[in-house]
Amino acid sequence: MDLQNYGFMPEMISIDGQSIPARITAVHKERYELVCEYGETYARLKTKEYYNGTEEFPTTGDFVQINYIPNGDSQIIRTLPRRTFFSRRDPTPGRGEQAVAANFDYVFILQSLNHNFNEKRLERYLTLAWQSGAIPVIVLTKADLTEDYEVYLKAAEGFAPGVDIYAVSSKNGFGMDGLSKYIQPGKTVVFLGSSGVGKSSLVNAFAGEEIMSVSAIREEDSRGRHTTTYRQLIMLKSGAMVIDTPGMRELGMWDVSTGIHSAFGDVEEYLGKCRFSDCRHQSEPGCAIQEAIANGDLSPERWESYCRLKSEAKFSDDKTAYLRQKQQWHKSLAKQIRAKKKDGSRRKFF
């Protein structure tokens, strides 16, 4: 098998005569499914290299270096440098960062045109997509369920300037031609979206055959069961690759400084333009943020989303500092309230 068809470039690795390159196609707890020059195989991490903290634990899409074992599980000895990388805060408390996918060219952010469409969730996915280093593409699925998909397109365009947005239907083929420029040989696309948005149906449409099972959704809330139960890289007949991910009920921020800057460029253009350098953007005179909101140039919801994601990212970076800052803010607020009450009492007295 030619690994270059999977996006591998020889300059990624210096062959030492013993190990060979491979690409992770699925992760099953402590066992990895991968492809190499000998075809499809399985492998486990070499304990010494990975559990002493010197190597990044691999995830789906990673290129790795392995000691190939023909009649058993091979050994993964090194994770090769990543071009792009997508991670989130692990939903399990105390576990930190959770790797999702690596080495992809595009991020398809999927939402369906029914009860699933949610601007706040799209902002969150878009921030993480920009942070990954790949190119985000918003794909609004199940366009056959609405007569006016343009409303959703305009809503998405409002907070995703410069991002390609498509309304498609895997059921009748509407809009699918617009996505063909991304589904090219050697290119990898990662699908992100909650359960029920039609990720599996879209993979089947690109494949031209039923390669993934599709589950029905509940009509009352448009939710579905997780058809995909683990992240997997799928090679299509076209030579393009898709990394399908399970629907994520929770998408916590983790190291998204670059992503927030890209996703909220319309907000950050006002930062640094306030009269006072230490402006908190609340009620201070000459606040550029509040002025933009008052003029209608910036929506309060957009500013709220920016502040919420910044706070969440700060919590991930330094939980102790975040909690300390939050405590100080509450103390300051309580002090202001007491001062106002005291001032009101004085006015009544005089």
Side-chain angles (χ1 to χ4, degrees), residues 27 36 51 69 102 126 142-143 149 154 156 188 197 255 263 319:
V27 180
C36 65
Y51 290 94
I69 300 175
L126 190 60
K142 304 184 182 182
Y149 65 87
K154 289 180 180 178
T188 302
V197 299
D255 185 20
K319 182 178 180 179

Side-chain angles (χ1 to χ4, degrees), residues 218-235:
R218 297 195 299 262
E219 294 299 330
E220 65 270 17
D221 60 6
S222 302
R223 291 189 175 185
R225 292 179 288 108
H226 296 318
T227 307
T228 304
T229 57
Y230 58 91
R231 292 177 289 278
Q232 56 184 319
L233 184 147
I234 303 165
M235 172 65 80

